[in-house]
Amino acid sequence: MTAHTPTSVEARSVPSSRRAGEVRRRGDELLSIGAVLTFLRDDFPEVTISKIRFLEAEGLVEPQRTPSGYRKFSPADVERLAYVLRMQRDHYLPLRVIREHLDAIERGEAPPALPAPEARPGPVEEADRELVAASGAAGGVRLGRAELLAAAEAGEGELAEWEAYGLIAPGPDGGYDGEALQVARLVAELGRYGLEPRHLRAMKAAADREVALVDQVVAPLRRHRNPQTRAHAETTARELATLSVRLHAAMVQAGLRVRPSGHA
């Protein structure tokens, strides 16, 4: 992939802010990653340097390198980054689809039509959907490390950091199940909003406490001599986990709703 001058189709899809316009006016001037971050944050306050590096690692932008290895971005590179960030923010498109859009634009073609806008589900509905997806996949999915990275649209460095903070761990065979995949996808998505693994340690600690609470309830059932009672313990554990996650989502939703305007 080479840097290119955005077509009219692409130009209409990127921010038209004062800073983006200033980037275009700079012509052939190359920018450091810090300068690119400053320009992009005018329209995408959540963007981080690690996010820009991730998009580079995924092949969505290829900045030039100085002899000492520093990244130098052209105005066209900045336009590409803005396009990717906008498609993620406004249309929730995965990187694979965004790459198809950019490839079409480079060929001088109109990108694929965008899906009709939909109302995003609330936190409780989102939690229900994630639980269903995880429980449906956990039994049959077994992914290797490379497969997990591809499915979560993450880089090796990110996965290593998630594991270092205890957010995700491979199984005894070194593979990952469907629940691990859901965790990876959610952690990656939170990362796109600037939340790093160190910020998520509190969530992991809260989850561990909830697991301990569920274990307290079902432990006597698991030790029971009756096989049917032991089987009921697993059903009870799943139901309690579902209720716990839904309660957490509802409390977050309620807390955000009553939060005073302008509260930091």
Side-chain angles (χ1 to χ4, degrees):
M1 175 173 43
T2 57
H4 68 288
T5 302
T7 65
S8 59
V9 172
E10 184 179 7
R12 288 196 299 270
S13 302
V14 298
S16 57
S17 68
R18 175 182 57 80
R19 287 189 179 276
E22 185 178 341
V23 170
R24 287 190 287 269
R25 287 195 298 273
R26 289 192 175 204
D28 294 331
E29 182 179 347
L30 298 179
L31 305 175
S32 68
I33 193 169
V36 172
L37 182 67
T38 299
F39 282 117
L40 290 175
R41 275 190 168 164
D42 195 44
D43 290 283
F44 308 99
E46 74 284 356
V47 72
T48 62
I49 284 180
S50 61
K51 170 70 171 182
I52 295 173
R53 288 172 176 162
F54 170 70
L55 294 177
E56 178 191 357
E58 291 296 307
L60 291 159
V61 64
E62 291 186 1
Q64 299 179 37
R65 294 275 186 160
T66 66
S68 54
Y70 290 102
R71 296 171 178 83
K72 288 296 182 179
F73 295 80
S74 69
D77 292 329
V78 180
E79 296 282 7
R80 288 180 67 87
L81 288 169
Y83 185 93
V84 173
L85 295 170
R86 173 166 288 200
M87 291 299 103
Q88 284 188 318
R89 183 193 64 191
D90 296 350
H91 301 284
Y92 314 111
L93 296 183
L95 294 182
R96 173 183 55 80
V97 175
I98 297 174
R99 190 177 291 109
E100 292 172 359
H101 281 228
L102 291 170
D103 289 345
I105 290 169
E106 283 192 336
R107 294 192 301 268
E109 304 169 1
L114 294 171
E118 298 178 356
R120 270 201 106 158
V124 175
E125 294 78 13
E126 191 78 47
D128 284 344
R129 188 175 69 179
E130 294 293 345
L131 280 171
V132 170
S135 61
V141 170
R142 206 67 194 163
L143 301 174
R145 196 172 186 86
E147 293 171 313
L148 179 75
L149 291 172
E153 296 186 345
E156 174 63 42
E158 289 176 296
L159 179 54
E161 192 173 11
W162 301 342
E163 290 176 336
Y165 279 96
L167 302 177
I168 188 173
D173 62 352
Y176 302 85
D177 60 18
E179 289 171 345
L181 173 58
Q182 289 300 107
V183 171
R185 282 174 168 166
L186 291 169
V187 171
E189 187 68 22
L190 286 168
R192 293 177 187 119
Y193 289 88
L195 291 175
E196 300 176 6
R198 60 189 175 85
H199 300 136
L200 306 181
R201 286 182 296 184
M203 295 184 184
K204 179 60 169 64
D208 289 342
R209 288 193 294 269
E210 291 174 24
V211 169
L213 187 61
V214 171
D215 280 341
Q216 278 185 352
V217 175
V218 302
L221 300 177
R222 285 173 171 158
R223 292 193 299 265
H224 204 278
R225 295 171 61 183
N226 188 323
Q228 291 182 337
T229 302
R230 292 198 299 271
H232 178 62
E234 303 311 314
T235 301
T236 302
R238 287 194 297 272
E239 291 173 350
L240 287 173
T242 300
L243 289 172
S244 175
V245 171
R246 297 188 83 243
L247 175 61
H248 178 83
M251 285 180 169
V252 171
Q253 186 175 20
L256 291 173
R257 185 179 298 118
V258 302
R259 200 170 180 80
S261 176
H263 186 75

